Amino acid sequence: MDFDPPGDDDPLEDPFGDDPLEDPFESDPLEDPIGDRSGDDDLERTFSEISRSTLLAFVVVAVLVHAGLFGASLGVMLIGFRSQWVGGGALAIGGTLALVVAVVVYRRYSART
């Protein structure tokens, strides 16, 4: 049995055409969302409109909430599943404190504005 090369006129047999490195979705913007950079201007404009104190408060609260949830949940799991009271207790207390600090930062910012 001989190998029958695909015909050039049938796109189903040869989806990439002549160039094997050619991107088949190059000309269709709906199929290649990574190639579209029009949202970069909107993002830059939005960040330039936000005040520095708002952005700083948002980032601090977001980091504290994520760290607090991670620490508290991991600490409770260490206590519950492995009975590691010292490490799990420290993580749970530290996570709870991080959540409390996040609430304090948020309330201070909302009281200022």
Side-chain angles (χ1 to χ4, degrees):
M1 296 184 73
D2 289 333
F3 176 71
D4 187 22
D8 290 336
D9 57 346
D10 190 3
L12 295 177
E13 289 184 17
D14 190 10
F16 294 107
D18 297 328
D19 188 9
L21 299 177
E22 181 183 353
D23 185 11
F25 303 118
E26 181 177 1
S27 63
D28 191 3
L30 296 177
E31 296 294 329
D32 190 13
I34 295 173
D36 183 25
R37 298 288 183 208
S38 64
D40 290 346
D41 297 333
D42 295 337
L43 187 63
E44 288 178 16
R45 188 178 69 245
T46 303
F47 275 120
S48 67
E49 292 173 359
I50 296 175
S51 69
R52 182 174 169 81
S53 63
T54 301
L55 185 60
L56 183 63
F58 173 76
V59 169
V60 167
V61 168
V63 168
L64 284 172
V65 166
H66 281 92
L69 285 175
F70 176 73
S73 61
L74 182 62
V76 169
M77 284 192 289
L78 283 174
I79 292 171
F81 295 127
R82 296 195 173 217
S83 299
Q84 294 180 353
W85 286 91
V86 175
L91 277 173
I93 291 170
T96 305
L97 287 176
L99 290 172
V100 168
V101 170
V103 169
V104 168
V105 169
Y106 174 75
R107 290 201 177 173
R108 280 188 182 175
Y109 175 77
S110 63
R112 269 190 285 156
T113 57

